[in-house]
Amino acid sequence: MADETDIEDAVGPIDDVTLKEIRTVCTRADGLVEDAGFDSRLDPTKLQIHFRDEIAEATWCRFDIRWFQRQYYSFHCLDE
């Protein structure tokens, strides 16, 4: 499996400024978001947004968001 940072040549580096803006918008969502933070303080590669329990039948839910300086992005949803 290729390292996630290999994609940087095609889409540019992570845009941490935009990810911080997304984090701010999400944490202002009334009662929906439990926690939002980066996977690493020193070298963030994605924003992780944890939602409150009981969304549909899931016991937990998380979005992993990556946003790149050339405006490419990825959203990945995980739940259980």
Side-chain angles (χ1 to χ4, degrees):
M1 182 174 190
D3 185 13
E4 286 186 8
T5 58
D6 287 347
I7 196 170
E8 285 188 8
D9 289 337
V11 298
I14 290 288
D15 186 345
D16 61 330
V17 174
T18 299
L19 287 175
K20 288 175 186 176
E21 291 175 13
I22 293 169
R23 179 183 62 186
T24 299
V25 168
C26 290
T27 55
R28 290 182 180 164
D30 186 27
L32 182 62
V33 173
E34 185 173 287
D35 184 43
F38 296 98
D39 61 333
S40 168
R41 289 181 183 225
L42 297 177
D43 188 22
T45 61
K46 61 187 161 194
L47 172 63
Q48 297 177 324
I49 301 173
H50 299 265
F51 292 90
R52 299 212 179 273
D53 292 345
E54 301 177 17
I55 296 177
E57 294 180 16
T59 57
W60 61 267
C61 179
R62 184 181 85 214
F63 282 173
D64 291 343
I65 303 169
R66 297 189 305 156
W67 200 282
F68 300 93
Q69 290 184 1
R70 293 187 184 157
Q71 305 305 307
Y72 292 91
Y73 61 89
S74 75
F75 282 73
H76 184 215
C77 179
L78 301 109
D79 65 13
E80 182 176 291

